[in-house]
Amino acid sequence: MATSSLALSPAKCVPSSFPPRISLRSSSSPGGRLLGKLPALEKLSHSKRGGKCRAQVVMMPLGVPKVPYRASSEGSWQYVDIWNVLYQERIVFIGQHIDDDLANRVVATMLYLDSVDSSKHLHFYISCPGGSLTPSMAIYDTMGSVRSGIATLALGAAYDIAGFLLAAGEKGMRMAMPLARIALQPPEGATRGQADDIQTEVNELGRLRDCLYEQLAINTGQPVDKIHKDLDRMKIFSAQEALDYGLIDKIVRPPKYASSSLSIGGVGPYNASF
């Protein structure tokens, strides 16, 4: 049975650059076959036997992944939250139920990146089950107010209000992965109290529904009456159906499948690339 050992590469006591890299070599082959390189924080020490270098790998704690990152204005590397690195690349993930906290973070990130450089696009990666209406509307309004273009990509699922955010991206820059699902439905609310208070909430939901449907008609090119009819109940779209409806502008197919004729998810052969 093959065993693996950790060997320092390059074989020096002090790594030439940060982050240090550990080479994983297998002892089953002569000379040790290189299996891969993994970034890790190391504590280097001398062995008493032969003065060889020995590396102690400090394992990363479970939780949010941290990756090595060096800002262009700084000379040293540091481990930072992976989301912060993606923010620097103008990538914003919406990957959970949209609540006040998430909406505040997304809006703040959009405003900051737009102030830094409004000539570059912001890229929204959406895999979201939906969320609260008011925080989602804050994201929606901010998308329309920043000077940067907004590119949206659905992967996994974009349900409920997340589907509206997907369609709110810049025309020509709204995309979905082949197996993504998009679902739209009328806005919902919950209230209790006196009959007058409940009626007020019903009227407000009706107003917001009409507003969303009018915006969706602009973004998709569909008549408002058709949207009202289609979304009387939840309507689920495949990637191809979302493309035909006008929710997205293209289906993103990974380049490694470009030469394949495989049909997945009813979106035709994988014959296109990014």
Side-chain angles (χ1 to χ4, degrees):
M1 182 176 179
T3 59
S4 299
S5 61
L6 291 177
L8 198 63
S9 176
K12 297 179 181 180
C13 292
V14 180
S16 58
S17 62
F18 190 89
R21 304 186 72 82
I22 293 295
S23 295
L24 188 61
R25 297 181 181 274
S26 172
S27 60
S28 62
S29 60
R33 180 171 58 89
L34 183 63
L35 299 180
K37 292 184 177 180
L38 302 174
L41 289 175
E42 300 174 2
K43 293 181 179 179
L44 302 175
S45 61
H46 283 282
S47 171
K48 294 183 179 180
R49 297 180 180 180
K52 296 181 179 179
C53 291
R54 180 175 298 173
Q56 296 178 347
V57 181
V58 179
M59 300 302 294
M60 185 183 301
L62 296 177
V64 178
K66 293 184 180 295
V67 296
Y69 180 77
R70 179 172 61 184
S72 57
S73 60
E74 300 178 0
S76 60
W77 289 84
Q78 57 182 336
Y79 275 101
V80 299
D81 189 315
I82 191 171
W83 305 118
N84 290 329
V85 177
L86 294 175
Y87 291 157
Q88 294 296 325
E89 301 299 327
R90 306 178 72 83
I91 296 175
V92 179
F93 267 89
I94 301 180
Q96 64 188 70
H97 184 274
I98 301 175
D99 56 14
D100 291 332
D101 181 61
L102 177 64
N104 288 337
R105 287 188 279 119
V106 170
V107 168
T109 301
M110 294 172 62
L111 295 175
Y112 170 74
L113 293 177
D114 184 63
S115 67
V116 171
D117 188 352
S118 61
S119 65
K120 297 179 180 179
H121 280 83
L122 299 174
H123 300 272
F124 275 39
Y125 283 61
I126 302 174
S127 179
C128 176
S132 301
L133 185 58
T134 301
S136 301
M137 295 299 289
I139 297 177
Y140 187 95
D141 284 339
T142 306
M143 291 174 65
S145 63
V146 296
R147 293 170 294 174
S148 301
I150 305 292
T152 56
L153 172 65
L155 61 163
Y159 275 20
D160 196 10
I161 194 65
F164 288 93
L165 297 180
L166 172 66
E170 181 182 321
K171 292 290 183 65
M173 299 295 292
R174 304 171 303 173
M175 297 163 280
M177 297 295 284
L179 297 182
R181 294 184 298 170
I182 296 95
L184 300 178
Q185 66 180 16
E188 298 178 349
T191 186
R192 60 182 180 180
Q194 298 181 4
D196 291 342
D197 295 334
I198 295 176
Q199 185 60 50
T200 299
E201 179 68 15
V202 170
N203 294 337
E204 178 64 11
L205 281 176
R207 184 188 70 83
L208 290 175
R209 179 200 59 196
D210 294 341
C211 178
L212 284 175
Y213 287 1
E214 290 173 3
Q215 292 297 314
L216 192 61
I218 295 173
N219 294 331
T220 62
Q222 300 288 345
V224 176
D225 293 341
K226 177 176 173 56
I227 292 178
H228 274 272
K229 181 179 179 180
D230 292 340
L231 303 188
D232 184 55
R233 293 290 186 269
M234 175 184 285
K235 183 174 180 62
I236 300 178
F237 301 83
S238 67
Q240 185 61 52
E241 290 169 342
L243 179 63
D244 296 337
Y245 202 82
L247 295 172
I248 61 175
D249 303 300
K250 64 182 73 173
I251 298 173
V252 176
R253 295 174 171 88
K256 66 179 180 178
Y257 295 116
S259 61
S260 173
S261 60
L262 179 64
S263 177
I264 294 182
V267 298
Y270 268 8
N271 55 7
S273 60
F274 288 104

